[in-house]
């Protein structure tokens, strides 16, 4: 008898198959003496859409809302139906004794597997593989310690509640707003309060009135001090500032106090997903979504980091025994950084990192025991892995110790302050020296109380108070985390959804609301845009996952809330005007066209939702870069064929001059034609080689 193992993706299935000695590759599974490994393709099953309950819902009508099915049903996703059928056929085999869930060890992974199990009507025993990395060692260890699936029932329940709540509120409010105001307007349980926070920040910026203020500075040699009174350095009256300047010019400065304080900064804890997304955004300008995608590759393909979608920055105590192996795996790439660690016998100098109470489903993101080959990583993967590795290595370095010297001077009855920091022990900051680029002066070290200095220069400096800045993704992720909006795994998708629905835009790594977003937030119920209410829902979902909440009660409240929100939209007397309506008429139905921003330029789409006409406004951008300004060139078709054009540089190149690259579609066709029938071809390179041989 064999066990059926359900992985989340084909790549993970291949790894499991290799470790579990499964070699017989078929179209939908890989079989071995003890196990049959099959896979989902992300989700294979989803909640039914309104039109699946009744065809009349295919047309969006305000009078049909709210749509609240008595019981939420499931359906197979059309695009992945063949794989589902493959799993369904396997489930009928008489030689299978049980099923092992090997999807990602988290809420979403649990949902992927359980919905498939429910749909195929599985009746035999179910076990759970729960691991934090896909190294050979972790897989073997995980299969030795399989857990009963029942242990994760509450996690599944919580995932179902989240999915149904998002369906009920998101779908109904989106349909209500769209039909009421005749424009695609999307709202949701998490995306709307997130938009609300961006808009509140924008209101603060727009209502901000800058004020002038001055600071008074005196200088003696390389030493500079600034006027201060009761902790305030700013002077909002120019007259007062000038009076202080006149009073201290050409005077003597007497050292009033010299205050020395030794301080230390503890080693930073390893990353959770949100903190890593924030750091990658600050340092490299990565979007949260990009960080998630790159990190998934490090976890799934290279297997050099542990489970990425974690909300913990701590490690469990059982990981202490694996630290030496992880250091050994890092040694080839971080030889110089690991040398001092080995001298002190690889001892963790931040023992607070080991805390079982502060680890929920998964511990912090750290390197695995898989040896690192930096040459295999892309530039983005190297950048991200370097952040994770340095954070991990910091645990083996001492704390950063420094001394702050604070000196006050009296100049003709006025107080001036000067401060400097001196490093005592660089500790873990040795690892990030180049990134931090800190400067440490030593001009105050020799001063003593009562000492007199001659002021060589005194000056006023004019300033303006500054408006709060617009959020970066790093700032927004911090706010979402503070209010419990979404989970580490979903926050990146929420931001991308706001961008794709064109209620916010991104410029120079800053997020700002569009006219559409500003109008939308005015139409939405106050409760729905409140971060506090959504945070309450998230806390309830977390309680359900911990077996401390009531899922039925939660969904009952969500249903009541849905009815209330839809009723409010129906009764609304607010107005909305699509900001992107143009004067161009649709050639098919004569409605006015709307201008939207696509991935490769502006597009005109018909404002009539029944009409699907659209046309490009801007020429299509190619992947060809201008040799002068390096911007993407437009692609055109003329009498002589295809050509590239860069308008700013007035440069034109014939398309024939460029070596043809393989498109994604052509790549898929090549792989399909020249890879093995079981769908497990090694790479595009293999397919190209086969294609060339075929040609010969």
């Amino acid at each position: 008898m064999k066990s059926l193992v359900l992985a989340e993706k084909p790549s993970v299935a291949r790894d499991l198959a290799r470790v579990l000695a499964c070699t017989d590759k078929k179209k939908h599974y890989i079989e071995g003496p003890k196990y049959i490994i099959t896979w989902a393709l992300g989700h294979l099953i989803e909640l039914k859409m309104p039109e699946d309950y009744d065809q009349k819902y295919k047309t969006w009508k305000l009078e049909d809302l709210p749509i609240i099915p008595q019981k939420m049903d499931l359906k197979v996703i059309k695009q992945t139906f063949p794989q589902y059928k493959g799993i369904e056929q396997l489930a009928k085999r008489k030689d299978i004794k049980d099923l092992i869930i090997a999807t990602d060890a988290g809420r979403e992974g649990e949902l992927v597997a359980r919905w498939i199990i429910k749909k195929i009507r599985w009746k035999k025993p179910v076990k759970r593989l729960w691991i934090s990395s896909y190294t050979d060692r972790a897989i073997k260890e995980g299969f030795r310690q399989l857990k009963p699936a029942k242990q994760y029932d509450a996690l599944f329940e919580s995932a179902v509640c989240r999915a149904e709540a998002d369906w009920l509120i998101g779908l109904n409010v989106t349909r209500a707003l769209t039909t009421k105001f005749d424009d695609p307007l999307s709202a949701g349980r998490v995306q709307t309060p997130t938009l609300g926070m961006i808009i509140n920040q924008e209101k603060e910026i727009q209502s901000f009135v800058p004020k002038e203020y001055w600071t008074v500075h005196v200088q003696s040699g390389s030493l500079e001090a600034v006027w201060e009174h009761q902790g305030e350095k700013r002077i909002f009256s120019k007259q007062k500032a000038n009076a202080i300047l006149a009073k201290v010019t050409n005077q003597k400065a007497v050292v009033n106090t010299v205050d020395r304080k030794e301080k230390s900064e503890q080693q930073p804890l390893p990353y959770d997903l949100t903190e890593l997304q924030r750091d990658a955004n600050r340092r490299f300008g990565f979007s949260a979504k990009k960080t998630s995608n790159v990190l998934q590759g490090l976890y799934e393909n290279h297997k050099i980091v542990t489970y990425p979608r974690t909300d913990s920055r701590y490690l469990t105590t059982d990981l202490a025994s694996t630290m030496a192996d992880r250091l050994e795996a890092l040694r080839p790439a971080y030889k110089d950084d690991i040398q001092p660690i080995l001298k002190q016998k690889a001892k963790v100098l931040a023992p607070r990192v080991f805390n079982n109470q502060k680890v929920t489903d998964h511990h912090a993101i750290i390197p695995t025991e898989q040896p690192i080959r930096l040459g295999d990583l892309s530039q983005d993967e190297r950048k991200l892995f370097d952040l994770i590795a340095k954070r991990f290595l910091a645990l083996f370095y001492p704390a950063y110790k420094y001394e702050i010297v604070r000196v006050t001077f009296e100049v003709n009855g006025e107080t001036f302050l000067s401060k400097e920091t001196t490093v005592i022990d660089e500790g873990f900051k040795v690892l990030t020296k180049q990134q931090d680029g800190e400067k440490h002066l030593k001009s105050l070290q020799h001063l003593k109380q009562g000492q007199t200095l001659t002021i060589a220069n005194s000056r006023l400096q004019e300033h303006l108070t500054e408006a709060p800045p617009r959020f970066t993704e790093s700032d927004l992720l911090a706010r979402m985390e503070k209010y419990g909006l979404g989970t580490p795994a979903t926050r990146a998708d929420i931001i991308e959804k706001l961008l794709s629905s064109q209620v916010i835009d991104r410029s120079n790594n800053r997020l700002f609301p569009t006219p559409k977003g500003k109008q939308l937030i005015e139409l939405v119920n106050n409760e729905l845009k409140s971060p506090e209410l959504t945070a309450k829902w998230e806390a309830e979902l977390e309680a359900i996952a911990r077996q401390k909440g009531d899922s039925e009660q939660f969904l009952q409240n969500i249903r009541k809330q849905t009815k209330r929100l839809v009723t409010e939209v129906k009764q609304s007397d607010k107005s909305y005007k699509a900001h992107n309506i143009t004067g161009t008429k649709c050639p098919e139905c004569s409605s006015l066209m709307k201008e939207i921003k696509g991935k490769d330029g502006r597009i005109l789409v018909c404002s009539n939702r029944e009409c699907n006409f659209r046309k490009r406004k801007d020429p299509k951008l190619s992947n060809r870069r201008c040799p002068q300004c390096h911007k993407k060139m437009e692609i055109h078709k003329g009498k002589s064929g295809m050509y590239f054009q860069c308008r700013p540089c007035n440069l034109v190149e014939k398309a024939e001059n460029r070596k043809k690259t393989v498109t994604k579609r052509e790549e898929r066709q090549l792989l399909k034609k020249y890879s093995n029938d079981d769908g497990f071809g090694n790479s595009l390179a293999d397919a190209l080689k086969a294609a060339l041989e075929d040609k010969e």
Side-chain angles (χ1 to χ4, degrees), residues 19 129 131 135-146:
V19 175
L129 173 74
I131 53 176
T135 61
D136 291 10
R137 179 174 163 178
I139 292 168
K140 285 173 187 170
E141 192 63 34
F143 270 88
R144 274 198 296 270
Q145 298 176 9
L146 291 170

Side-chain angles (χ1 to χ4, degrees), residues 27-28 38-39 41 44 76-89:
K27 192 171 183 181
H28 302 295
T38 188
W39 54 88
L41 298 161
L44 296 184
V76 181
I77 297 169
K78 195 176 177 182
Q79 295 87 325
T80 56
F81 185 77
Q83 183 59 28
Y84 168 77
K85 285 305 285 181
I87 297 172
E88 194 177 49
Q89 291 305 313

Side-chain angles (χ1 to χ4, degrees), residues 332-346:
Y334 293 90
K335 192 178 175 183
D336 294 340
D337 296 323
I338 287 174
Q339 209 59 45
I341 295 173
L342 297 176
K343 281 179 186 173
Q344 41 99 6
K345 295 179 182 173

